[in-house]
Structure formats: C-alpha cells, structure tokens
Amino acid sequence: MSQSVTIEHLISTSKRRDTSYMNIILFGAPGAGKGTQAVELVKNYHLTHISTGEMFRNAIANQTAMGKVANSYITKGELVPDEVTVGLVKERLAQEDCKNGFILDGFPRTLHQARCLDKLCLELNIQLDFVIDIEVPMNALMERLSGRRVCKVCGASYHILFNQPKVAGECDICHGPLYTRKDDNKESVAVRLNTYQEQTKPLIEYYKNKGILLEINGQQEINDVFQDIVNKIGVNL
Ligand code: AP5
Ligand code: MG
Ligand code: ZN
C-alpha cells in the first residue's frame, strides 16, 4: 500500500466499505488510461462514471449553450473555465446515482477545482476515498493518443495497436461506431500535455498531503494496471 494513504483514512474507508461503495478520483495525464480503467472499475464495483470530458463532448454533440462555450477550449486542448466545469460537476454529484459511489474522471484539474470539490463534498456530505494517480511517462502519451479510437455512443476508448476492438471500427460494449477525437491531433495534444504539467500535476501534492493518493504504474498491460488498482484499494471483487 502506498505510504501516501494514512492509517486513519484506511480505517474510515474500510468502515464505509461495509456499505460497499466508494468515491474515487481517477487522476493522470491525457492518455494515461483514466477512461480505460474507469470502464473496468464501473463493471466490477458498480460505480457511477463521471467524465467531465465526456460530458462536454455530449454537450457539444447536442449543441447546447455549454457545449458551444466548451468547444473552442477543447478543440485547442485548453481547459474549459473553472466556473463552467465546477457548475457541471456540482449538478452531477447531487444526482441520485452518485449516492452509491462514483468515479470522477478528469476532475479536478486545477487547484481551484480541487478546493471547490472539497467544499462540495462538505455540502453534500461526501467522503473521497481514493485519488488514483495513473502514472505514464510523457513520451508514451503521444503514441497512445494518436492511435486512440473512441466509441461515438458510449465513449469507450480503444487503440489501433494496444487495445483493438473485436470487430474493426465497432465498440465491443455497445456496437457503436469508433472515431478519432478532435483534440487527439498533434497540436492539441501538445497543449494538453503542457497544461497537465503546469496546472494539473501540482494536485498530486495536494492529495498526497490529504493522505488519499494511490500511485499506480500506468505503463503496463491494461489488465495489469487494473489489478494493481484493485490490490491497492483493497476492496474485494
Ligand atoms: P478528457 O476527455 O478528460 O481528456 P484527457 O484528460 O485529456 O484524458 P483522455 O481522455 O485523453 O485520456 P485518458 O486518461 O482517459 O486515456 P484513455 O483511457 O482514453 O478531457 C478532454 C478535454 O475536456 C480537456 O482537454 C479539457 O478541454 C476539457 N475538460 C475535461 N475536464 C475538464 C476539467 N476538469 N476542467 C477543465 N476542462 C476540462 O487511453 C488513451 C489511449 O491509450 C487509448 O487509446 C487506450 O486504448 C490506450 N491505453 C489505455 N491504457 C493503456 C495501457 N495500459 N497500455 C497501452 N495503451 C493503453
Ligand atoms: Mg478519458
Ligand atoms: Zn460503445
């Protein structure tokens, strides 16, 4: 178990495990495998998956007012302004399906968002159990993102080399068509990786100090990464 997690936190989390739910943040650079691992965690622990990136992409597809705002930022690889993102998460976490445990994927990404989330957790009486930091060296991320294909319907991630769908161009889960994300081009990826280094990475220290950070080696086979997560959170499947 990583020493970043305190004994007190483990005791309080294991008490809540009796009611068998967890609240998790999946943390990591663009392409680290947050979405990929979220699918497995949802399947095994029946948690609600909240991906802010996915919510923005749906809003863009539905041409909502928020989607129009988010589109210009996302295409360039920049972060959507905090006030928009925090408002979205606030609304989402208050919904019924989050009461049995959730995975936050891609939120928070700035110190301000992390502080807003703390406030929100107090208001909604939520405890964060683990922040799972999936660590992948910067030089491997470009290859992952350039070969990624995403399901248009459910958002599941595939890779032309590392994680091929059973049927080419089709999602294993829902049979939806696969496409290349607009922000998976070289220019946007460079901005996203840079933004991660400058604005998001400092949150590792923030959650280490809170004693809830788990560090996972993300540069292994997808199933091995998942096993590592399962072993470290110590919750039986
Ligand atoms: P978002 O959708 O969250 O994108 P991201 O953080 O850039 O992360 P990705 O989805 O690109 O990567 P991932 O870690 O999920 O990797 P995946 O599992 O797909 O956000 C998009 C945009 O929305 C942001 O840029 C921003 O503009 C906006 N936004 C979102 N949240 C925001 C917030 N909080 N504040 C402000 N703006 C926000 O895997 C990647 C590839 O690698 C896949 O092809 C996969 O098959 C492959 N792969 C996965 N694991 C492995 C492995 N172990 N080995 C080999 N290949 C692997
Ligand atoms: Mg993702
Ligand atoms: Zn799908």
Side-chain angles (χ1 to χ4, degrees):
M1 181 65 69
S2 163
Q3 293 184 350
S4 303
V5 175
T6 59
I7 299 290
E8 293 78 13
H9 179 71
L10 277 181
I11 293 169
S12 101
T13 301
S14 71
K15 273 188 194 149
R16 285 188 342 93
R17 273 187 219 138
D18 294 342
T19 56
S20 73
Y21 70 88
M22 281 182 295
N23 299 321
I24 294 174
I25 293 176
L26 271 183
F27 191 87
K34 302 180 293 293
T36 303
Q37 295 301 325
V39 170
E40 292 307 311
L41 288 163
V42 164
K43 223 192 293 173
N44 287 281
Y45 296 107
H46 313 290
L47 306 170
T48 293
H49 181 201
I50 305 170
S51 157
T52 39
E54 209 46 45
M55 289 165 89
F56 285 135
R57 282 185 287 280
N58 288 338
I60 292 168
N62 294 326
Q63 301 187 332
T64 67
M66 187 187 68
K68 282 178 192 153
V69 173
N71 192 28
S72 57
Y73 294 97
I74 293 188
T75 309
K76 285 186 271 179
E78 294 168 3
L79 293 183
V80 177
D82 280 351
E83 61 270 24
V84 179
T85 312
V86 170
L88 181 73
V89 172
K90 185 173 180 172
E91 226 171 73
R92 188 66 187 88
L93 283 181
Q95 287 170 18
E96 203 52 38
D97 60 350
C98 293
K99 301 219 160 44
N100 295 325
F102 58 79
I103 300 172
L104 270 174
D105 161 0
F107 181 92
R109 277 188 211 231
T110 64
L111 202 52
H112 179 68
Q113 289 181 13
R115 292 191 177 123
C116 289
L117 178 62
D118 284 346
K119 210 167 138 234
L120 208 55
C121 285
L122 275 179
E123 280 169 29
L124 297 171
N125 194 24
I126 290 171
Q127 182 189 324
L128 294 175
D129 294 304
F130 297 112
V131 177
I132 298 172
D133 174 27
I134 306 175
E135 295 174 345
V136 176
M138 282 294 137
N139 58 13
L141 297 170
M142 186 62 91
E143 192 184 12
R144 285 199 186 183
L145 292 172
S146 58
R148 172 166 58 186
R149 299 292 179 270
V150 178
C151 173
K152 207 158 209 151
V153 180
C154 75
S157 279
Y158 297 86
H159 194 279
I160 51 170
L161 299 175
F162 309 138
N163 186 20
Q164 297 170 344
K166 290 190 185 104
V167 178
E170 191 182 300
C171 176
D172 293 351
I173 303 167
C174 74
H175 306 291
L178 304 186
Y179 78 108
T180 302
R181 262 170 52 176
K182 253 202 318 209
D183 59 346
D184 278 350
N185 63 74
K186 247 190 176 159
E187 293 73 29
S188 307
V189 169
V191 175
R192 286 159 64 198
L193 294 179
N194 196 37
T195 305
Y196 172 77
Q197 290 290 347
E198 285 180 358
Q199 299 195 50
T200 309
K201 209 174 171 189
L203 293 187
I204 292 177
E205 241 3 78
Y206 184 81
Y207 287 113
K208 215 179 237 178
N209 290 337
K210 282 183 177 290
I212 58 172
L213 187 81
L214 291 175
E215 287 157 317
I216 300 287
N217 173 9
Q219 210 178 22
Q220 322 174 62
E221 291 285 321
I222 292 172
N223 287 339
D224 294 338
V225 176
F226 179 66
Q227 264 320 310
D228 257 14
I229 295 176
V230 170
N231 292 342
K232 287 204 170 171
I233 60 182
V235 180
N236 293 332
L237 288 176

